[in-house]
Amino acid sequence: MAALLIKTCLRQSITKKLLTETFTGKIKLRPRVVLADLTCLQCCCYHTTPALLAKKKISPAEKRRMEQEKLLAKLNPKIKPDRPSVEVWKNMTVKELATSAGRPLDDILDALHITNKNFPFKRDTILEDPSIIHETVKKLGAKVRVVTRPSDKKEEAKEEDLDAVKRPPPDPSVLIKRRPVITIMGHVDHGKTTLLDALRHSSVVDSEFGGITQHIGAFNVTLSSGEKMTFLDTPGHAAFSAMRARGANATDIVILVVAADDGVMEQTIQSINMAKDAKVPIIVAVNKCDKPNVDISRTHAMLAEEGIVVEELGGDVQSINISALKRTNLDQLIDAVAAQAEIMALKGDPTGLVEGVIIEATNDLHRGKLATALIQRGTLRKGDILVSGLAHAKVRAMFDHSGTVVTEAGISDAVQIIGWRELPIAGEEILEVENEKRANQVMKFRNAKLNEQKSIEHKVAAEEKHKIHRVEYEKLQAQKRALGVRRWRKKGNREKEMVEDTFPRVSIIVKGDVVGSVEAILDVLDTYTEEDKCKLALVHYGVGAISESDLDLAKAFNAIIYCFNTKVPKSLNMAIEKENISIRHHNVIYRLIDDLKLEINKKLPIIQADETIGEAEVLKEFEINEKRKKIKVAGCRCIKGQLKKSELFKIIRDGEVIFRGKADSIRHLKNEIDTVKTNMECGVKLAKVDFEIKPGDKLVCYEVVDKNQETDWDPGF
């Protein structure tokens, strides 16, 4: 008898007569033909006799399934059993078909033999006729799904092929001499911008609000000697440390400006550390030497303590004594910079795709998204396609620091670029790509990587929040069980909602002129740690002028809009007045923070505080008899203010309050009085005193008054 081994139904090939003749021995078939097992007889089991079924051992569950399928087939003949799909392709081999179908090779050969009896199929036989492949798959009880040959599929692109990366180091033969990039760094108000103003014969200081540089300025300067240099002016204020770090990392030489009268200050030390981390040589410019009574040797000694040993003290750091305001010794400073640049032998590659770095970015009201870039390799021209972080651009135009249109920018040039689809982030590298299709590919890849990273971070954050919420939930459930459902609904949840709704909150929207300024403001806001007193909610932030969406957000969240060196379009004035939206204009960051502190103070609830009226020193404790009771009396001398009988008193011992209460009686000599003035002695009988009053204790007369709270927020400046 033939074995029942093939795992498919052969409805089209095996009839009732063929099955009967096979098992009666009238027809001789190959050993592995006919049927695999009775579980796949859903199509042809209806043609099989009960005697034949009885010869095969099947489980009761299989019998029930077969009966259900038979019943369904009778009720609805159109219902066909679900069939698996097999991937096939042109000119596949028998072995490949077996692998794709997930079946033994002998099963495939048997099915092929039924399809084409006259051809001797083997393991490596190529099935050139697609109809044979399709018919064989049908005999296996599966569906055909035509696909491309796996070997013909394109290999997945490598990560470096999808992203834009810097080119390999250039061939030394293409390198040319380039101008140095110099960053001027130092403490606030030590004269950095004044020095730059003197070097380029312009007036930058007058345009800086409060005399403080609010963001990095990049300038191409041609000196009187004909020497060309690129200068970066960085802020010295404590809030702009990230911007100073960007300046240090994009430069060749750092000019460290130190005021001769102040010496080394906090931001001076930060600038030194940033230059050391970037491994950039430092040239010291001791400024304000024209002031009287300055001690330059003291400044050099303070620099030596920070690891900057100048040549006068035997070190290798050049130090020039200058006066930026009076233009004293500026030529010597330029010579020192030129000598340092000559030693460094600065060279660059002007060929190929452009590479650079974003110095600053802003959203100009008339020109759109604009970024200041420092070109570090290649030559940038109009029409070039750039990518920077998650932003890309087709260069529409370029301008220098004075607003003059330039046609191209070479290595070490600082230019303003317009044509950005998105606003780039200051500090990001710039890379040129071949075309916009390539730029879109890079953006798609980078956004996918960012989303992947965010999903991981969000998953971790969600798990942490879930743990916290689980603990809170179990705690609330325990309270609910303890209080009962009705009392819980009435007291627990409603009281909690009321507390959350009435909690002090200040909502703000920040709009700045450039990315660096907004970044500095956000860094300062991150130092706020008094969320338990008043919540500080940053609703939105951005670069550029106020828009209608900003007004909608301010209205929805009752937020204050802080404009940092930006203007409000005239078209929005009517909407601002109608909705009564609060807008605050500031040009200096610490004034903005002071204004925000006042708003927080207004939201803090009023508290009761002790206001001292007078103080007295306890000289001795007396005991007197009053109605046969011993009463303790404190003999005191008033040393400050007045002691009033009608007010409250407290006794302070070793800085700790040990008593609060009223005074029953105050006597001077034998007379009862209501007020004791300074330097008067008196006896004070306090109500309900059950402890010993010791000499040296301080007796304070005070009243309880309502007082406005003030935030203890220290932003660091």
Side-chain angles (χ1 to χ4, degrees):
M1 183 182 294
L4 307 178
L5 294 176
I6 296 182
K7 298 181 180 178
T8 61
C9 59
L10 305 176
R11 171 190 287 177
Q12 298 178 354
S13 302
I14 301 180
T15 63
K16 177 180 179 181
K17 180 180 179 182
L18 180 59
L19 284 171
T20 306
E21 291 177 349
T22 300
F23 284 97
T24 56
K26 293 182 180 180
I27 298 177
K28 294 183 180 181
L29 298 178
R30 295 175 62 183
R32 302 179 71 85
V33 181
V34 193
L35 304 172
D37 55 33
L38 297 184
T39 62
C40 288
L41 286 175
Q42 51 192 7
C43 294
C44 58
C45 64
Y46 318 123
H47 307 286
T48 308
T49 61
L52 179 61
L53 291 175
K55 294 180 180 180
K56 178 67 179 177
K57 294 182 180 180
I58 57 175
S59 65
E62 291 296 332
K63 287 182 179 180
R64 287 194 297 271
R65 190 179 68 80
M66 291 166 57
E67 291 173 357
Q68 291 174 358
E69 291 175 350
K70 184 177 180 180
L71 180 60
L72 286 174
K74 288 182 178 180
L75 294 175
N76 190 353
K78 294 183 179 181
I79 296 180
K80 296 181 179 180
D82 292 334
R83 295 184 296 165
S85 61
V86 176
E87 293 182 351
V88 300
W89 52 88
K90 187 178 180 180
N91 295 331
M92 68 187 308
T93 63
V94 176
K95 175 61 178 175
E96 289 173 342
L97 179 58
T99 304
S100 180
R103 304 290 292 275
L105 181 63
D106 289 340
D107 290 359
I108 304 300
L109 291 173
D110 290 339
L112 285 169
H113 180 74
I114 295 173
T115 304
N116 194 341
K117 299 180 180 180
N118 299 324
F119 189 85
F121 293 99
K122 297 182 180 180
R123 174 191 182 95
D124 299 327
T125 301
I126 298 176
L127 305 175
E128 298 179 354
D129 189 355
S131 62
I132 295 178
I133 300 175
H134 292 194
E135 191 66 25
T136 303
V137 172
K138 289 181 180 179
K139 298 300 180 186
L140 295 173
K143 297 182 292 186
V144 173
R145 186 158 67 92
V146 180
V147 297
T148 307
R149 179 182 292 274
S151 59
D152 294 339
K153 293 181 180 179
K154 293 181 180 180
E155 297 182 0
E156 293 186 2
K158 297 180 180 180
E159 184 170 312
E160 55 267 24
D161 295 335
L162 295 175
D163 198 6
V165 295
K166 287 186 175 182
R167 292 181 286 152
D171 190 330
S173 61
V174 301
L175 298 180
I176 62 172
K177 184 179 179 181
R178 67 173 177 85
R179 71 179 72 172
V181 179
I182 302 103
T183 297
I184 300 179
M185 305 179 72
H187 191 73
V188 63
D189 198 31
H190 276 199
K192 301 182 299 298
T193 309
T194 306
L195 173 59
L196 189 60
D197 172 35
L199 291 173
R200 65 174 182 150
H201 307 288
S202 61
S203 181
V204 180
V205 177
D206 295 339
S207 65
E208 301 292 355
F209 300 101
I212 299 174
T213 302
Q214 304 294 339
H215 51 81
I216 295 178
F219 309 94
N220 302 319
V221 178
T222 302
L223 304 173
S224 56
S225 61
E227 188 81 19
K228 290 185 177 181
M229 297 181 181
T230 299
F231 285 90
L232 304 180
D233 180 24
T234 64
H237 199 275
F240 297 93
S241 59
M243 299 174 70
R244 288 198 302 275
R246 284 199 295 271
N249 291 327
T251 191
D252 300 314
I253 301 170
V254 167
I255 295 180
L256 182 66
V257 179
V258 186
D261 53 349
D262 289 340
V264 176
M265 304 292 284
E266 182 180 355
Q267 275 78 57
T268 311
I269 298 174
Q270 290 182 4
S271 300
I272 292 172
N273 294 333
M274 290 174 184
K276 287 181 177 179
D277 293 340
K279 298 180 180 179
V280 178
I282 296 175
I283 296 176
V284 177
V286 182
N287 195 22
K288 303 184 181 181
C289 291
D290 56 316
K291 285 190 173 184
N293 302 323
V294 294
D295 190 353
I296 297 175
S297 60
R298 168 180 167 271
T299 302
H300 289 168
M302 295 175 70
L303 288 169
E305 293 177 0
E306 302 301 328
I308 304 298
V309 183
V310 299
E311 293 176 343
E312 286 79 353
L313 299 180
D316 56 356
V317 177
Q318 299 182 77
S319 177
I320 313 298
N321 302 329
I322 67 169
S323 172
L325 190 63
K326 296 186 178 181
R327 307 176 60 84
T328 304
N329 292 338
L330 295 188
D331 292 338
Q332 294 183 22
L333 179 62
I334 293 302
D335 292 340
V337 173
Q340 182 64 49
E342 193 67 28
I343 293 172
M344 298 173 69
L346 299 173
K347 292 184 178 182
D349 176 13
T351 63
L353 299 177
V354 171
E355 297 176 7
V357 63
I358 296 290
I359 298 298
E360 195 51 89
T362 184
N363 206 345
D364 191 88
L365 186 61
H366 304 288
R367 295 185 291 178
K369 298 177 177 64
L370 186 148
T372 301
L374 177 67
I375 308 303
Q376 297 174 322
R377 188 175 182 182
T379 303
L380 183 64
R381 297 178 179 88
K382 182 179 178 181
D384 288 346
I385 309 298
L386 305 177
V387 295
S388 177
L390 298 178
H392 71 291
K394 182 176 182 180
V395 180
R396 294 206 325 261
M398 294 179 290
F399 309 89
D400 62 11
H401 63 274
S402 62
T404 305
V405 178
V406 295
T407 57
E408 64 178 33
I411 46 179
S412 297
D413 278 344
V415 290
Q416 294 178 326
I417 303 170
I418 61 173
W420 295 92
R421 270 66 165 181
E422 306 85 14
L423 195 66
I425 299 175
E428 289 279 3
E429 68 178 10
I430 299 174
L431 297 173
E432 182 187 356
V433 293
E434 295 82 0
N435 48 51
E436 290 199 44
K437 182 179 179 180
R438 171 65 173 147
N440 291 328
Q441 181 188 33
V442 173
M443 292 299 100
K444 185 177 179 180
F445 173 78
R446 291 183 177 181
N447 279 301
K449 294 292 281 185
L450 178 64
N451 292 335
E452 181 181 347
Q453 181 181 355
K454 283 184 177 180
S455 64
I456 296 173
E457 294 174 355
H458 291 170
K459 182 180 179 181
V460 174
E463 291 176 352
E464 293 178 355
K465 284 187 177 180
H466 178 72
K467 292 179 182 178
I468 297 173
H469 291 167
R470 186 66 189 174
V471 173
E472 293 179 354
Y473 172 76
E474 293 176 354
K475 188 185 298 183
L476 292 174
Q477 286 296 103
Q479 294 177 5
K480 183 177 179 180
R481 287 190 291 268
L483 294 174
V485 177
R486 293 183 179 179
R487 292 177 62 192
W488 170 256
R489 287 179 180 174
K490 183 178 180 181
K491 296 182 179 181
N493 291 344
R494 291 181 182 177
E495 289 181 1
K496 182 181 178 183
E497 290 176 2
M498 290 176 62
V499 170
E500 291 179 349
D501 290 341
T502 58
F503 195 84
R505 177 188 299 269
V506 175
S507 300
I508 62 172
I509 296 174
V510 175
K511 296 302 290 285
D513 55 343
V514 294
V515 172
S517 298
V518 176
E519 182 184 69
I521 294 171
L522 297 183
D523 288 342
V524 175
L525 295 180
D526 286 340
T527 62
Y528 183 77
T529 57
E530 297 184 330
E531 294 289 338
D532 56 334
K533 293 183 179 180
C534 177
K535 290 188 178 297
L536 179 59
L538 179 62
V539 176
H540 175 66
Y541 64 89
V543 177
I546 296 175
S547 62
E548 291 184 7
S549 61
D550 297 327
L551 299 184
D552 293 337
L553 286 173
K555 180 183 176 182
F557 291 92
N558 192 25
I560 302 170
I561 301 179
Y562 282 98
C563 298
F564 190 80
N565 198 18
T566 58
K567 297 180 180 180
V568 179
K570 294 181 180 179
S571 58
L572 299 180
N573 288 335
M574 186 178 296
I576 293 171
E577 293 178 2
K578 182 180 178 181
E579 301 296 341
N580 195 23
I581 297 173
S582 178
I583 298 180
R584 313 288 173 83
H585 294 272
H586 293 282
N587 297 322
V588 181
I589 189 170
Y590 58 76
R591 292 176 185 168
L592 184 150
I593 299 302
D594 288 342
D595 186 282
L596 183 55
K597 282 184 178 180
L598 293 177
E599 290 298 324
I600 294 174
N601 293 339
K602 291 178 183 178
K603 295 289 184 178
L604 295 177
I606 295 175
I607 59 173
Q608 291 186 330
D610 297 347
E611 185 173 307
T612 301
I613 299 173
E615 296 180 3
E617 182 183 3
V618 177
L619 302 176
K620 190 176 181 181
E621 181 189 55
F622 299 93
E623 287 189 355
I624 61 173
N625 293 321
E626 187 177 276
K627 296 180 180 180
R628 299 181 181 180
K629 290 184 179 180
K630 290 185 177 181
I631 305 297
K632 294 182 179 181
V633 177
C636 307
R637 177 187 292 112
C638 183
I639 59 176
K640 184 179 179 182
Q642 297 178 342
L643 305 182
K644 294 184 178 181
K645 180 182 176 183
S646 58
E647 302 297 341
L648 296 172
F649 289 84
K650 59 184 176 183
I651 296 177
I652 300 176
R653 179 182 299 167
D654 298 329
E656 205 174 307
V657 178
I658 61 175
F659 170 81
R660 288 180 183 270
K662 285 271 191 179
D664 289 340
S665 174
I666 298 179
R667 292 189 178 185
H668 177 62
L669 300 177
K670 294 183 178 181
N671 300 322
E672 184 76 22
I673 58 177
D674 293 329
T675 303
V676 178
K677 297 181 179 179
T678 305
N679 295 327
M680 286 181 60
E681 293 185 354
C682 63
V684 180
K685 186 179 73 169
L686 300 172
K688 299 179 181 179
V689 174
D690 55 357
F691 59 89
E692 180 183 359
I693 302 175
K694 297 181 178 180
D697 289 347
K698 183 184 291 186
L699 181 67
V700 178
C701 177
Y702 70 97
E703 63 177 343
V704 179
V705 296
D706 292 336
K707 185 178 180 181
N708 294 324
Q709 292 191 70
E710 292 186 1
T711 177
D712 296 328
W713 179 22
D714 181 13
F717 54 81

